[in-house]
Amino acid sequence: MNQPLDSIATVLEGTGDYRVLRRLTPLVDCAEAPDEPTFIGLVLDTETTGTDFATDEVIELGILKFEYGASGRIYRVLQTFNQLHQPQKPIPPEITRLTGITDAAVAGQRIDDAAVQALAADAAVVIAHNASFDRQMCEGRWPVFAEKNWACSCHQIPWRAEGHEGMKLGYLLIDHGFFHNGHRAIDDCHALLRLLDSPLQTSGRLALSCLLETARRPTVRLWAQGSPIETKDLLKARRYRWSGARRCWYIDLEEDQIEIERSFLSEAIYRRPCGELPADRFTARDRFSARTNPEF
C-alpha cells in the first residue's frame, strides 16, 4: 500500500468506527540471524477435484518451505512451490467456481513428483490448515509425506480460546487485518504462514510455538466399544464420531483426559465400570494419516 492510502487507513482505524483490511503480502524474511537451533518446516495446501480420497485428485499443490527456530519464530522462506495438475476427468463446475481453476488452466500440466519429494525430504514438520484432508490427499501420491510429522493449524491451535469466533483461514486472516485470494493453494500458504508468525490475541504466544507444542503431544483414540444404541445422542453431544469400519463410536483425546473420559463413559453410557476399553495412541508421525483413518 502506498503511503497516502496507508495514512488514510490509519486515520480511519483511529476513529474506532472503522476496520480496514489490508491485502496480504508475503512474509518478509527476518533481518536478524537465528540465535537458537533452527529447523525446516513446510506449509502446504491442496486444491482438489473433490473430497473423496479414493477417486478425487489434487489439481494444485502449493508449498512454502521455511526455516523456524525452537521458539517458534519464523526466520525466512527458503522455497516457494506451486504447480497445477490435469486430472483424469474434467474439473467439476463447483470446484471451478470455488477456486477459479479451469480445465483450460490445467491442460497439459503435471505436478513434478520428483521435485515434491526433494522439497519435502529434510522437513521436520508439514503444516496444513486441514491436515486430515491434505495429508490423505498427498501421501498416496507422494510417499515422502507418509513418513513426516504433520500438524493441523485449524484444530491444534486454540483459536476460539484466543478470541476468534471462527477457525476458517479467511476468518482468521480478517481478524488479523488482512484479506487474500482464497482457495488458491499458494495464496492460502502465504496466509497461513503469516498467521503462524503472529502472536495469539489472548496469550501473546507465537501461533507456531503453540501449534508445535500441541503437535508434539501424543493423543489417544478411545473407543466406546459396545455402547448401548440409545446413548448415541449423548456420545454425539460429547463429540464422539462414528466409525463405519469398526461399527463403534470413538473420540480423540489428550493423554491427561483419558481417565476423565472413562469416568464419563462408566457413569453416563455403560452405567457400570467400563474396564479397559480399546485405545490407540498417535503421534505427529501418524496422526491425520490414511492409515489411522477409522473409516478405512
Side-chain angles (χ1 to χ4, degrees):
M1 183 178 291
N2 62 45
Q3 188 59 43
L5 292 179
D6 202 24
S7 298
I8 293 171
T10 301
V11 170
L12 287 171
E13 290 174 325
T15 67
D17 294 325
Y18 299 90
R19 291 186 63 197
V20 179
L21 298 181
R22 292 165 170 81
R23 183 180 295 279
L24 182 79
T25 56
L27 189 67
V28 176
D29 291 350
C30 183
E32 304 169 14
D35 59 356
E36 59 179 331
T38 61
F39 309 90
I40 302 300
L42 303 180
V43 163
L44 177 150
D45 186 63
T46 61
E47 302 299 337
T48 66
T49 56
T51 58
D52 190 316
F53 299 123
T55 60
D56 284 308
E57 298 179 67
V58 175
I59 55 175
E60 185 176 40
L61 177 66
I63 301 174
L64 291 177
K65 186 173 186 175
F66 64 97
E67 179 185 33
Y68 68 95
S71 65
R73 186 178 185 184
I74 297 172
Y75 287 98
R76 59 191 175 119
V77 174
L78 301 170
Q79 191 173 344
T80 300
F81 179 96
N82 193 72
Q83 290 185 355
L84 294 168
H85 179 82
Q86 181 178 359
Q88 295 181 19
K89 295 184 291 187
I91 298 172
E94 61 270 21
I95 298 298
T96 295
R97 285 195 295 270
L98 180 67
T99 66
I101 302 174
T102 64
D103 289 320
V106 300
Q109 301 290 321
R110 180 173 176 80
I111 296 171
D112 186 337
D113 296 340
V116 174
Q117 292 282 130
L119 180 67
D122 58 349
V125 64
V126 181
I127 301 169
H129 201 61
N130 186 5
S132 61
F133 178 79
D134 289 304
R135 178 167 193 170
Q136 293 185 60
M137 289 302 298
C138 287
E139 64 183 7
R141 175 167 175 180
W142 300 290
V144 65
F145 291 122
E147 302 304 321
K148 293 296 177 181
N149 297 311
W150 281 71
C152 181
S153 54
C154 182
H155 299 290
Q156 292 186 299
I157 296 175
W159 295 113
R160 287 196 171 91
E162 291 286 346
H164 300 275
E165 293 185 5
M167 299 187 297
K168 288 186 176 181
L169 191 61
Y171 297 163
L172 295 170
L173 206 61
I174 288 172
D175 285 348
H176 284 77
F178 296 104
F179 70 94
H180 79 308
N181 181 25
H183 298 295
R184 290 304 300 267
I186 199 62
D187 295 306
D188 283 349
C189 288
H190 282 296
L192 179 51
L193 195 66
R194 176 62 67 94
L195 291 177
L196 294 174
D197 188 58
S198 302
L200 295 170
Q201 288 186 165
T202 301
S203 67
R205 297 183 61 194
L206 286 172
L208 179 59
S209 175
C210 181
L211 174 60
L212 294 174
E213 180 182 292
T214 303
R216 290 186 188 109
R217 291 199 297 264
T219 53
V220 176
R221 178 168 293 160
L222 185 64
W223 297 88
Q225 183 173 280
S227 58
I229 191 170
E230 61 270 18
T231 63
K232 65 180 179 63
D233 290 336
L234 282 175
L235 292 168
K236 287 170 68 175
R238 188 101 170 162
R239 301 197 178 193
Y240 277 73
R241 299 178 65 183
W242 176 256
S243 167
R246 289 182 57 163
R247 307 291 298 171
C248 187
W249 292 95
Y250 71 94
I251 190 170
D252 291 331
L253 303 163
E254 300 282 341
E255 286 190 309
D256 60 4
Q257 299 174 313
I258 294 298
E259 291 310 313
I260 295 173
E261 200 59 30
R262 289 186 193 278
S263 295
F264 161 77
L265 291 171
S266 295
E267 295 171 10
I269 303 301
Y270 298 102
R271 299 187 181 278
R272 56 176 172 75
C274 57
E276 291 298 317
L277 293 171
D280 303 317
R281 187 175 185 271
F282 300 128
T283 67
R285 183 60 59 92
D286 45 34
R287 194 180 296 126
F288 311 121
S289 173
R291 61 181 176 271
T292 62
N293 188 325
E295 298 304 314
F296 290 0

